Amino acid sequence: MAFQDEGSSSVTSSSLQFFSMMSLSPSLGTPYPWLKELKSEERGLYLIHLLLTCANHVASGSLENANIALEQITHLASPDGDTMQRIAAYFTEALADRILKSWPGLHKALNSTRISLISDEILVRKLFFELFPFLKVAFVLTNQAITEAIEGEKMVHIIDLHASEPAQWVALLQVLSARTEGPPHLRITAVHQQKEVLEQMAHRLTEEAEKLDIPFQFNPIISKLENLDMEKLRVKTGEALVVSSVLQLHSLLASDDELLRKKSPLGPKNLNGTHFPRALQMSQSTLGELLEKDLVNGYSPSPDSASSSPLSLNSSAKMDSFLNALWGLTPKLMVVTEQDSNHNGSTLMERLLEALYSYAALFDCLESTVSRTPLERLKVEKMLFGEEIKNIIACEGAERKERHEKLDKWIQRLDSAGFVNIPLSYYGMMQARRLLQGYGCDGYKIREENANVLIYWQDRPLYSISAWRCRK
């Protein structure tokens, strides 16, 4: 939708200019009462403006102005408000965390007693699986691709690069038990850094295999993906090897890029100047349009952000080494599921804008399908999305793991590593579409792009699934 005429806009250009003056004024640490009376769309537009203002100050090292913007945002943002209020709450926390990192002692002291419970991690991953259809669709497509690839095989070995959800393999065991030629001997090698997660999966899958009378072995490997010892995978001659990677490969793009940044831990001071003014051209658009149209015409991704940063392909020796090692195992099939987003840009503003697009869509999914108050929703938003946003915005170098990239980058990277992109199963696509239709929400869509699949919310692609084999 194009910009509305000035007369029909719910937020006129003059009011946005007033917003601009207010947000940059040091005298407005406590906003005027009228801010509380803004309509939802006006408030959403103003929150976006304040977030961009704040990010600009953070990136340039203007901490006093950043603090003023943060204080204003906290008066309007809320983790249990509407979509934009919720998003703003987590982006504000991420920007504040980035500022604190410029004082490492203070940052460490404030986080020194923070407890990260494995049970919480397991719970939030389970909630993500239940509240969204993304993983279910990925599992359906992956399992169908595996079923077709191993037809007639007697020995099958599956390597799961992030074994956190047993539901995928329970479903596959049930399919294999119904094979006319009888089930194969199945070995699953599961990689995860938490022993408890692997123990839970081992128990669930062993129980299911015994019930279905399928010869089964479970090989747990307690390791981060970046430290994985390929020898421990124990790949044997004569077995059909399959690799499944769900939302994991992007973490291998983390690299020590400290040398590419300015000395300030806040990041480069010379921002690409076109981003910020463009983002403020949203004066004639409502919040609803903003969320539907990629912050609505207000920001055009730069060539860098559209193609991702130079770090993506040029500085990912860890990724190259890992993919080459996988290729050396000669898997019959590899299926890769990844977030389909540009979150690996080299500048803070670039990543913030791209992340606003993606997480606005994810938060909107929940707004459209789950009421605002359930604890489950708050947990997913805070413990999963909030932590991802914080990593994307507040972290740099090897610490920044959430380096999500678009499908075309993965195609380029996997092709360079010696893999050939192959079409996903037509029957798998039918199953995935049926699954989405049964979800009872029109916003979710599934589309084929060449040989691959993208899962959308409205018109925003959020996840990609692609299948690969080794080039002969």
Side-chain angles (χ1 to χ4, degrees):
M1 187 180 294
F3 287 139
Q4 297 176 4
D5 292 334
E6 188 169 334
S8 64
S9 172
S10 64
V11 182
T12 64
S13 59
S14 60
S15 65
L16 187 63
Q17 286 166 7
F18 184 47
F19 286 167
S20 301
M21 288 188 294
M22 289 194 64
S23 67
L24 295 171
S25 168
S27 65
L28 286 172
T30 303
Y32 290 139
W34 64 265
L35 285 178
K36 291 286 187 182
E37 296 169 14
L38 289 174
K39 294 175 184 174
S40 176
E41 291 174 352
E42 294 170 334
R43 182 179 59 228
L45 182 60
Y46 190 37
L47 276 169
I48 291 170
H49 167 69
L50 283 173
L51 283 170
L52 297 175
T53 301
C54 182
N56 202 36
H57 291 318
V58 171
S60 64
S62 179
L63 301 189
E64 187 177 344
N65 284 330
N67 180 60
I68 292 167
L70 285 172
E71 188 173 355
Q72 290 189 36
I73 295 168
T74 57
H75 281 278
L76 298 177
S78 168
D80 56 3
D82 62 28
T83 300
M84 197 58 230
Q85 286 179 298
R86 296 168 97 102
I87 293 167
Y90 295 109
F91 275 87
T92 306
E93 188 179 359
L95 287 166
D97 197 59
R98 187 177 176 98
I99 293 170
L100 279 176
K101 282 176 182 287
S102 59
W103 292 280
L106 180 61
H107 187 267
K108 285 174 186 171
L110 286 172
N111 289 279
S112 61
T113 58
R114 188 177 175 186
I115 299 171
S116 181
L117 297 174
I118 297 165
S119 56
D120 285 343
E121 182 189 327
I122 294 170
L123 172 65
V124 78
R125 290 287 168 187
K126 186 173 177 59
L127 288 172
F128 178 69
F129 177 72
E130 290 171 353
L131 292 175
F132 295 91
F134 306 122
L135 289 183
K136 296 184 185 80
V137 168
F139 292 167
V140 161
L141 288 166
T142 301
N143 284 0
Q144 188 56 37
I146 293 172
T147 303
E148 294 176 14
I150 64 170
E151 193 173 349
E153 297 283 355
K154 291 182 169 59
M155 301 280 290
V156 176
H157 182 187
I158 296 173
I159 297 172
D160 184 349
L161 294 179
H162 187 66
S164 61
E165 182 48 68
Q168 177 177 10
W169 308 126
V170 169
L172 183 66
L173 283 166
Q174 291 167 355
V175 169
L176 295 178
S177 71
R179 277 206 324 188
T180 33
E181 68 268 37
H185 180 284
L186 178 63
R187 183 154 62 101
I188 292 181
T189 293
V191 182
H192 199 281
Q193 64 191 79
Q194 303 290 359
K195 181 182 177 184
E196 292 84 346
V197 172
L198 293 171
E199 286 174 346
Q200 284 188 22
M201 180 171 272
H203 175 73
R204 181 73 184 90
L205 296 184
T206 304
E207 186 179 62
E208 190 67 24
E210 285 175 0
K211 190 170 77 177
L212 297 170
D213 198 24
I214 294 176
F216 177 72
Q217 281 180 283
F218 188 80
N219 175 31
I221 299 178
I222 303 165
S223 172
K224 291 182 178 179
L225 200 60
E226 63 200 73
N227 302 325
L228 180 61
D229 178 358
M230 291 289 173
E231 294 294 320
K232 290 185 177 178
L233 298 175
R234 306 209 312 258
V235 174
K236 299 173 185 174
T237 309
E239 61 185 13
L241 181 66
V242 172
V243 177
S244 170
S245 174
V246 178
L247 310 182
Q248 282 306 295
L249 287 184
H250 64 262
S251 66
L252 294 172
L253 293 169
S255 57
D256 194 359
D257 49 22
E258 297 297 318
L259 295 176
L260 299 180
R261 294 165 55 221
K262 299 286 184 183
K263 289 180 182 178
S264 167
L266 293 172
K269 296 193 177 186
N270 184 20
L271 277 179
N272 199 336
T274 57
H275 292 321
F276 188 63
R278 276 191 203 162
L280 297 183
Q281 290 168 13
M282 300 178 293
S283 58
Q284 316 230 356
S285 187
T286 65
L287 176 62
E289 291 168 337
L290 281 169
L291 294 177
E292 286 174 18
K293 295 284 185 182
D294 291 349
L295 268 73
V296 194
N297 307 317
Y299 163 68
S300 304
S302 68
D304 271 357
S305 74
S307 62
S308 206
S309 73
L311 290 170
S312 304
L313 289 178
N314 299 341
S315 301
S316 50
K318 195 181 292 182
M319 173 68 77
D320 294 343
S321 171
F322 187 83
L323 292 179
N324 288 337
L326 284 183
W327 183 88
L329 300 175
T330 60
K332 194 165 188 177
L333 173 72
M334 179 163 75
V335 185
V336 175
T337 300
E338 277 293 332
Q339 290 93 338
D340 194 59
S341 303
N342 277 326
H343 295 157
N344 197 19
S346 56
T347 68
L348 168 62
M349 188 64 89
E350 192 180 334
R351 297 202 303 274
L352 181 129
L353 286 162
E354 295 291 348
L356 269 174
Y357 298 164
S358 305
Y359 287 97
L362 286 166
F363 277 65
D364 196 39
C365 292
L366 288 175
E367 183 75 6
S368 302
T369 56
V370 184
S371 61
R372 289 185 186 175
T373 50
L375 190 58
E376 292 81 7
R377 175 177 171 180
L378 288 168
K379 282 183 175 177
V380 168
E381 289 176 345
K382 179 172 177 58
M383 295 162 62
L384 183 60
F385 298 152
E387 289 302 308
E388 288 179 358
I389 290 166
K390 194 183 291 184
N391 189 268
I392 292 164
I393 302 301
C395 299
E396 293 295 349
E399 192 184 5
R400 180 159 62 85
K401 302 289 187 186
E402 301 298 341
R403 295 176 179 247
H404 313 143
E405 294 195 334
K406 301 289 284 182
L407 176 61
D408 60 348
K409 281 290 171 195
W410 291 109
I411 291 172
Q412 188 180 347
R413 187 174 285 113
L414 287 157
D415 181 72
S416 298
F419 290 93
V420 178
N421 199 193
I422 58 175
L424 285 156
S425 159
Y426 173 74
Y427 182 59
M429 283 292 296
M430 287 174 57
Q431 291 180 71
R433 286 204 165 97
R434 274 202 302 271
L435 191 154
L436 279 186
Q437 285 164 5
Y439 213 74
C441 183
D442 294 337
Y444 293 113
K445 299 181 181 76
I446 186 168
R447 292 178 191 166
E448 292 180 77
E449 187 169 296
N450 300 322
N452 312 296
V453 167
L454 290 166
I455 313 172
Y456 283 71
W457 171 255
Q458 305 297 359
D459 294 319
R460 181 88 191 168
L462 292 174
Y463 293 88
S464 68
I465 302 120
S466 57
W468 304 83
R469 63 169 173 78
C470 291
R471 188 179 291 114
K472 293 175 182 175

